[in-house]
Amino acid sequence: MLKVEIEKRLRSVARSPDASIKLCAKFAVESSQITTLYGASGEGKTTILRMLAGLTTPDAGRIEMEERLWFDSSNGINIKPQVRGVGFVFQQYALFPAMTIERNIKYGGGDERLFIRLIELLGLKSLLQRRPDQLSGGEQQRVALARALMREPTLLLLDEPFAAMDQSLKLRLHAELIQLHLEIPVTTILVTHDWRDALRLSETMIRLEHHATTRQGPTKELLKNEVSRFLEEIARS
Amino acid sequence: MSIDWGPLILSLKLAATVTLVLIVIGVPLAYSLSRIQGWSRAVIETLITMSLVLPPTVLGFYMLVLLSPNSWLGATLERMFGIQLLFSFAGLVVGSVIFSLPFMVGPLLNGLEGIPESLVEASYTLGRSKLYTLFRVQLPTIRASVLTALVLTFAHTIGEFGVVLMIGGNIPGKTRVASIAIYSELDALNYRGAEEYALILLLFSFVVILIVRLVGRGRNARMNAI
């Protein structure tokens, strides 16, 4: 289980250069599940992911993963991102441009059998000798997923992975991600501002409103309003 | 063409040595600068860039004063290590390293700052150290900038005149590099000799800049596609 209780003061450039806002996150995530962190743009979803990965340091609080303390401000504990064992899929995928796809996937090390399994599961076999700039957005995302999973992470963080995709590609990748999660059930947090992503991919959801995690529970329940509004719009049109 | 190749060979030897020394100094310096902000960075960058606007004779003058046997530094170097930097090849290397520093650090710094931070962070989350990330991700990604820095440093050192003349003088086989040889030939009214060296340096500069333009353009296009 992942237990999080952190806060971070952020500078709000949008309001005024000197204004700051306080981001508060308190939630717990069950192991081996996909959980969505859902909220509008600018709420601080990515910052929460970055704090979980150790890329941004919270001002105060505690992060505990499978009873291992990653961060505790009261004891000065802050485990480096290199040793947290987190798989991070960045919004722009962050594939290394000077390397082939094979070298990208193997960059963090890992078992050769897992490599073969991942490239088969994600259909990357024919792309291994190509460079990232020769791949489509969907293919790049699959490579980023494979690279993150090669280290057998205890926690997989996906930062708006479907943000710049059209609906048909999104649907295909949703199906692939569900399939992949059935095969390799790693604890996953998916950040999205699209309730359809949340509904299709996760059983549970954490809702972020006014820079704080306000509610946590079954995705369908927390998205009732969005779904009914959507159905009303369909009925009206 | 009865050209004395000595000055040209000496120029190449000086440029190669300076480039080698500067890549060793320049990579950690550019990396450190890319990781800091604020006034300390501004001060360091100003110091590095100063040699671009200073007349080479100013730098040469201060180095002459600093390294002379009468100065504390010059006297200490001679007493403790037996090193006499003025009017020696080693002195030329020291002067040229300082003078060419912005040509190495500038392109490297621009390159490092042009890389999306997420590439570096992805490497960290994949368990790799800062040093490993620098050599396996950052430098290969900016290899066009590295090549530009190497070529510009080499070429700039070949073309140096003021600092070299002030620190090294004009000693054949020791400090008379090609640019000094042109001056020396002109001084002796040997226009033919000066023309030969000048033509070689002219062609060299053209080829070097052409290489930088072609390589830089091709690689940047690939970077933009990511």
Side-chain angles (χ1 to χ4, degrees):
Chain A
M1 183 176 251
L2 168 71
K3 293 179 192 164
V4 179
E5 190 171 352
I6 43 176
E7 55 183 59
K8 172 93 183 161
R9 198 155 275 286
L10 305 170
R11 267 201 327 201
S12 171
V13 183
R15 291 180 186 175
S16 96
D18 299 324
S20 69
I21 43 173
K22 197 168 160 193
L23 175 65
C24 297
K26 186 180 178 185
F27 58 86
V29 167
E30 287 293 330
S31 299
S32 311
Q33 275 194 8
I34 299 180
T35 303
T36 302
L37 184 58
Y38 174 77
S41 296
E43 286 287 350
K45 303 185 293 294
T46 298
T47 308
I48 293 174
L49 279 203
R50 291 177 58 83
M51 290 194 279
L52 295 179
L55 298 172
T56 296
T57 308
D59 293 335
R62 202 179 143 89
I63 302 171
E64 190 186 312
M65 179 70 196
E66 310 294 8
E67 285 168 21
R68 237 191 112 206
L69 212 50
W70 279 355
F71 179 81
D72 188 353
S73 58
S74 59
N75 291 319
I77 294 171
N78 188 12
I79 304 293
K80 286 199 291 186
Q82 282 91 340
V83 285
R84 286 198 185 191
V86 162
F88 201 123
V89 176
F90 290 80
Q91 202 171 351
Q92 300 300 324
Y93 314 126
L95 300 180
F96 306 130
M99 291 182 200
T100 60
I101 298 309
E102 181 170 355
R103 283 187 56 210
N104 258 283
I105 297 172
K106 289 180 173 174
Y107 180 82
D111 183 58
E112 186 66 24
R113 275 174 304 180
L114 178 60
F115 171 73
I116 293 166
R117 194 167 157 220
L118 282 170
I119 59 165
E120 274 173 10
L121 273 172
L122 290 159
L124 297 170
K125 218 169 183 176
S126 61
L127 308 175
L128 292 179
Q129 295 317 310
R130 292 206 203 158
R131 304 251 167 201
D133 62 342
Q134 297 169 315
L135 265 52
S136 69
E139 288 167 338
Q140 287 192 34
Q141 193 204 49
R142 278 186 231 140
V143 175
L145 255 176
R147 186 178 67 176
L149 289 170
M150 266 300 277
R151 291 192 74 219
E152 299 181 61
T154 50
L155 179 65
L156 180 65
L157 304 172
L158 308 174
D159 186 10
E160 301 262 15
F162 313 107
M165 288 178 185
D166 61 56
Q167 277 302 319
S168 64
L169 181 60
K170 235 186 206 191
L171 284 175
R172 210 173 70 222
L173 288 171
H174 282 170
E176 279 180 16
L177 189 63
I178 291 166
Q179 180 66 32
L180 187 70
H181 191 258
L182 288 172
E183 296 274 342
I184 307 171
V186 54
T187 310
T188 303
I189 296 183
L190 166 76
V191 154
T192 184
H193 64 271
D194 187 339
W195 60 269
R196 279 159 290 214
D197 290 346
L199 207 55
R200 285 192 203 110
L201 292 168
S202 61
E203 293 283 318
T204 53
M205 192 178 107
I206 301 156
R207 197 152 184 164
L208 195 63
E209 290 161 307
H210 310 297
H211 314 292
T213 48
T214 49
R215 284 176 289 166
Q216 181 173 1
T219 308
K220 281 178 192 160
E221 199 140 310
L222 293 189
L223 286 173
K224 253 181 199 161
N225 287 344
E226 277 84 350
V227 175
S228 49
R229 216 180 303 136
F230 179 65
L231 292 175
E232 277 169 24
E233 275 170 28
I234 288 178
R236 249 185 274 134
S237 62
Chain B
M1 208 158 132
S2 59
I3 187 170
D4 175 13
W5 290 97
L8 283 164
I9 292 168
L10 196 63
S11 279
L12 292 175
K13 194 176 143 194
L14 177 66
T17 312
V18 168
T19 307
L20 198 68
V21 171
L22 271 180
I23 190 80
V24 175
I25 297 171
V27 168
L29 190 56
Y31 178 78
S32 309
L33 281 174
S34 73
R35 300 270 127 190
I36 58 168
Q37 294 295 334
W39 66 269
S40 55
R41 175 179 168 153
V43 170
I44 298 169
E45 275 191 295
T46 305
L47 285 171
I48 293 171
T49 319
M50 263 169 74
S51 67
L52 285 177
V53 290
L54 268 181
T57 42
V58 173
L59 188 66
F61 170 74
Y62 280 116
M63 292 203 66
L64 201 60
V65 171
L66 204 66
L67 299 176
S68 90
N70 299 327
S71 75
W72 174 83
L73 184 65
T76 308
L77 281 174
E78 193 159 4
R79 197 177 57 245
M80 294 190 75
F81 306 104
I83 298 171
Q84 161 67 274
L85 286 177
L86 285 184
F87 307 109
S88 71
F89 182 77
L92 289 191
V93 172
V94 173
S96 303
V97 160
I98 294 170
F99 199 55
S100 294
L101 194 58
F103 292 89
M104 178 61 79
V105 175
L108 290 179
L109 185 58
N110 283 341
L112 287 171
E113 295 201 312
I115 297 178
E117 189 58 18
S118 58
L119 288 189
V120 176
E121 291 176 341
S123 174
Y124 294 168
T125 61
L126 290 164
R128 298 304 187 183
S129 67
K130 288 180 180 176
L131 195 66
Y132 190 95
T133 305
L134 174 65
F135 283 99
R136 299 301 291 270
V137 175
Q138 289 163 284
L139 291 177
T141 302
I142 60 155
R143 59 178 172 225
S145 302
V146 175
L147 189 66
T148 304
L150 290 172
V151 174
L152 282 181
T153 304
F154 191 88
H156 185 250
T157 310
I158 291 269
E160 251 178 61
F161 179 76
V163 174
V164 171
L165 188 64
M166 297 280 280
I167 304 173
N170 184 12
I171 307 168
K174 207 171 167 192
T175 62
R176 185 189 285 177
V177 293
S179 56
I180 303 287
I182 296 174
Y183 175 74
S184 182
E185 295 294 337
L186 274 178
D187 204 34
L189 299 178
N190 180 8
Y191 292 106
R192 184 65 196 266
E195 194 186 339
E196 286 168 353
Y197 287 124
L199 187 66
I200 290 171
L201 289 189
L202 186 79
L203 288 173
F204 174 80
S205 306
F206 176 77
V207 170
V208 162
I209 294 169
L210 189 67
I211 290 172
V212 170
R213 295 251 165 226
L214 291 176
V215 171
R217 197 170 48 188
R219 196 67 199 118
N220 284 343
R222 282 192 63 179
M223 277 283 286
N224 290 343
I226 303 281

